[in-house]
Amino acid sequence: MTKIKSPYTAAITGGGFLFTETNALLPLLQSADREALLKDERVNNRLLQINAESSRYNAIVEIARRYDAMPASFWEDYKNMNEDDQQVALFFVILKTYKICFDFHINVTMRKWNSISKSLVYDDIEMEFNEVSARDEFVDSWSDKTKRKVASAYLTVLRKVGILDKDDNLHPLSASNFDYYIINGEQWFLEACLLQPYQIENIKKKLV
């Protein structure tokens, strides 16, 4: 059987936002005994307090995936952020970890924000899925159920971080450390947080 090479994964369905869970596992992930500690957590549920072992396993796998997607220095910086900035930073990590979420955000959410409606619903995401499926054989092979679960997970992340409200309206994010992303060559993320160009310019001016 030929393994399909694709930059996409449906793994986001194994977790969600996982903010408190990420913070709980961070010391384990940074430990030299990482594998043993994570295995113990899978079995004994000391930190996550997720009753179902399968759900606990999935959460650990996805948090570890996100941790590994970023340099170790990022997580040191993350630990020193306040809770609000940590939530924004975790959103950044999710966009960097899951290409399907990145594509949804750049190609759908940001375009919707810059349109008249400034709202986002599942049907908008479904249209982007059709675009991705047309050029990626692996995504095209996903069932409708899987695609819906992936889209739902992405929309849940937006709601958790505060970009999408219960009425499906979009809102910009706020953080006290947006300059961090500019300094680290990630200015695109400020646009992803739905900041206006003048706001980004004002942040850049403060760095001069």
Side-chain angles (χ1 to χ4, degrees):
M1 181 175 159
T2 304
K3 188 175 181 180
I4 298 172
K5 291 183 178 180
S6 171
Y8 297 100
T9 173
I12 184 69
T13 59
F17 196 48
L18 297 172
F19 176 65
T20 56
E21 296 86 351
T22 297
N23 287 357
L25 286 190
L26 194 52
L28 278 59
L29 290 161
Q30 292 183 309
S31 170
D33 297 323
R34 165 178 160 162
E35 293 307 318
L37 291 169
L38 291 179
K39 185 176 181 181
D40 175 76
E41 179 60 24
R42 271 202 306 272
V43 174
N44 295 308
N45 197 26
R46 302 179 198 278
L47 300 171
L48 294 179
Q49 302 301 305
I50 298 173
N51 290 332
E53 187 171 352
S54 60
S55 298
R56 197 160 63 244
Y57 173 80
N58 287 338
I60 291 169
V61 167
E62 290 317 305
I63 292 168
R65 184 195 303 272
R66 296 170 190 184
Y67 180 85
D68 292 338
M70 307 300 296
S73 59
F74 170 84
W75 295 107
E76 289 299 322
D77 296 335
Y78 175 91
K79 287 195 298 186
N80 294 319
M81 296 177 190
N82 65 47
E83 188 170 300
D84 289 342
D85 289 348
Q86 282 184 340
Q87 291 202 28
V88 174
L90 184 56
F91 178 55
F92 172 70
V93 171
I94 288 170
L95 293 183
K96 295 279 275 189
T97 304
Y98 306 99
K99 179 166 171 54
I100 194 70
C101 291
F102 180 86
D103 283 7
F104 287 160
H105 202 72
I106 301 298
N107 298 331
V108 184
T109 303
M110 289 172 63
R111 286 181 184 173
K112 291 290 286 184
W113 172 247
N114 290 314
S115 71
I116 295 171
S117 69
K118 297 194 184 324
S119 65
L120 182 71
V121 296
Y122 173 76
D123 288 351
D124 300 317
I125 303 295
E126 190 173 35
M127 290 176 67
E128 176 65 13
F129 249 133
N130 292 336
E131 293 287 328
V132 176
S133 296
R135 63 177 184 268
D136 190 283
E137 186 181 351
F138 178 55
V139 175
D140 191 45
S141 73
W142 295 356
S143 68
D144 289 342
K145 182 180 179 182
T146 295
K147 290 178 179 178
R148 184 167 283 276
K149 285 174 70 176
V150 169
S152 177
Y154 168 70
L155 292 172
T156 297
V157 166
L158 295 190
R159 289 194 171 92
K160 289 283 188 180
V161 79
I163 281 183
L164 193 65
D165 67 22
K166 60 183 177 61
D167 296 316
D168 301 322
N169 296 312
L170 294 165
H171 302 274
L173 291 182
S174 61
S176 65
N177 68 337
F178 274 137
D179 56 340
Y180 174 80
Y181 301 97
I182 294 175
I183 292 167
N184 286 279
E186 305 281 4
Q187 182 179 316
W188 67 270
F189 182 61
L190 276 65
E191 298 172 44
C193 289
L194 309 184
L195 269 65
Q196 296 292 344
Y198 78 88
Q199 293 174 301
I200 297 172
E201 283 305 310
N202 286 341
I203 294 167
K204 288 167 70 176
K205 284 175 184 175
K206 291 177 183 176
L207 292 173
V208 177

